[in-house]
Amino acid sequence: MGFETIQLEHTGDAYRLTLNRPDKLDSFNALMHSEVRDSLTLIEGDSAARVLLITGAGRAFCAGQDLGDRDVNAGPLDLSQGPENDYNPLVRRLVALPLPVVCAVNGVAAGAGVNIAAACDIVVAKKSAKFAQAFSAVGLVPDSGGTWMLPRLMGQARALAFTLLNQKLTADEAEAMGLIWKAVEDEVFAETVDSIVEKLANAPTFGLASAKAAIRESWSSTLDQALDRERDMQKQCGLSRDYKEGVNAFKEKRAPRFTGAKPDA
């Protein structure tokens, strides 16, 4: 589709977005941010989209910000502009996408790369992948939602040690700490990721998107608010064709044929 720093592939109802700067460990520069924004706009505008997979090219998933893209000796830098204009909008869009977002961590994930992965709904990593928060190595604060997501996923003690000590985690350690969902043997990584994407692409998308939103919104709500949200979302999901198809398939002892469509107006 004419991109230079990413690849965007579309197969059926599934999108695959590959960060494609392997010589720079798929780190972000200004052009990559722009192209990722454009790709997400395209996906958001496709009513038939059922799942998004994000991965990296080469031996890394994403090493965060390309530090070679900045001249720290040219004068004071306003580092608030990167989060404000690039990383924060990206994280917000991934979290809000009304479809499942799968992150396939194929190699090194560092800095913002860790936190972008953590913003996705399901994170699968090669056993050989490594995770590092990396910000403390250059005197910075974790961004891209890291200070909010890491304590919730790993617990405060682990999040602090991971950050302050610039600790390197294996994929198995990241799974054990709750940073990712699953670490997978390298030999079956591609097959496992494809299986997850295929399953989600054939699932009841509106119901999954509602469940995603309900779980994420629960982090900042009371139990009563969560109960009310579940009630209201259940009403909408119950009006969908996929709910009827799921029940009928269960009764008829057959595989369901979901369309992913929203409830009829």
Side-chain angles (χ1 to χ4, degrees), residues 28-34 36-37 40 65 70 80-93 116 144:
F28 272 87
N29 62 6
L31 180 58
M32 180 182 278
H33 277 297
S34 175
V36 169
R37 280 195 295 271
L40 290 179
Q65 176 65 35
R70 294 172 172 169
S80 71
Q81 296 307 298
E84 178 68 19
N85 299 322
D86 297 321
Y87 291 107
N88 292 357
L90 170 58
V91 168
R92 289 185 174 113
R93 291 177 83 174
I116 290 168
S144 307

Side-chain angles (χ1 to χ4, degrees), residues 1-15:
M1 299 183 182
F3 295 120
E4 294 182 27
T5 65
I6 67 169
Q7 294 176 347
L8 185 64
E9 302 165 275
H10 183 204
T11 304
D13 301 322
Y15 280 89

Side-chain angles (χ1 to χ4, degrees), residues 8 13-17 40 43-44 46-55 91 93-104 116-124 181 193 195-216 242 258-262:
L8 185 64
D13 301 322
Y15 280 89
R16 182 187 185 102
L17 192 164
L40 290 179
I43 295 166
E44 290 165 342
D46 184 355
S47 60
R50 307 275 294 271
V51 59
L52 168 62
L53 169 67
I54 301 176
T55 191
V91 168
R93 291 177 83 174
L94 292 176
V95 169
L97 270 179
L99 46 83
V101 180
V102 179
C103 180
I116 290 168
C120 298
D121 302 316
I122 298 175
V123 186
V124 184
W181 174 54
V193 170
S195 176
I196 293 169
V197 169
E198 181 180 3
K199 182 172 184 177
L200 293 172
N202 290 290
T205 311
F206 180 77
L208 298 189
S210 299
K212 166 181 173 173
I215 289 172
R216 289 188 175 280
D242 280 345
F258 295 121
T259 67
K262 295 179 181 180

Side-chain angles (χ1 to χ4, degrees), residues 232-252:
D232 297 341
M233 288 184 168
Q234 208 72 300
K235 177 179 179 179
Q236 290 301 309
C237 291
L239 297 174
S240 70
R241 297 178 188 178
D242 280 345
Y243 171 68
K244 183 184 293 185
E245 168 61 13
V247 173
N248 286 333
F250 175 80
K251 290 180 178 179
E252 297 165 12

Side-chain angles (χ1 to χ4, degrees), residues 146-190:
T147 62
W148 190 84
M149 287 182 285
L150 294 182
R152 288 166 170 80
L153 295 173
M154 306 170 69
Q156 178 169 296
R158 287 170 171 168
L160 282 167
F162 182 43
T163 300
L164 302 183
L165 298 175
N166 192 22
Q167 185 181 17
K168 310 298 189 298
L169 299 179
T170 66
D172 282 329
E173 289 171 331
E175 177 187 338
M177 292 183 183
L179 178 60
I180 66 171
W181 174 54
K182 184 177 288 189
V184 178
E185 296 290 349
D186 290 22
E187 294 77 12
V188 297
F189 178 72

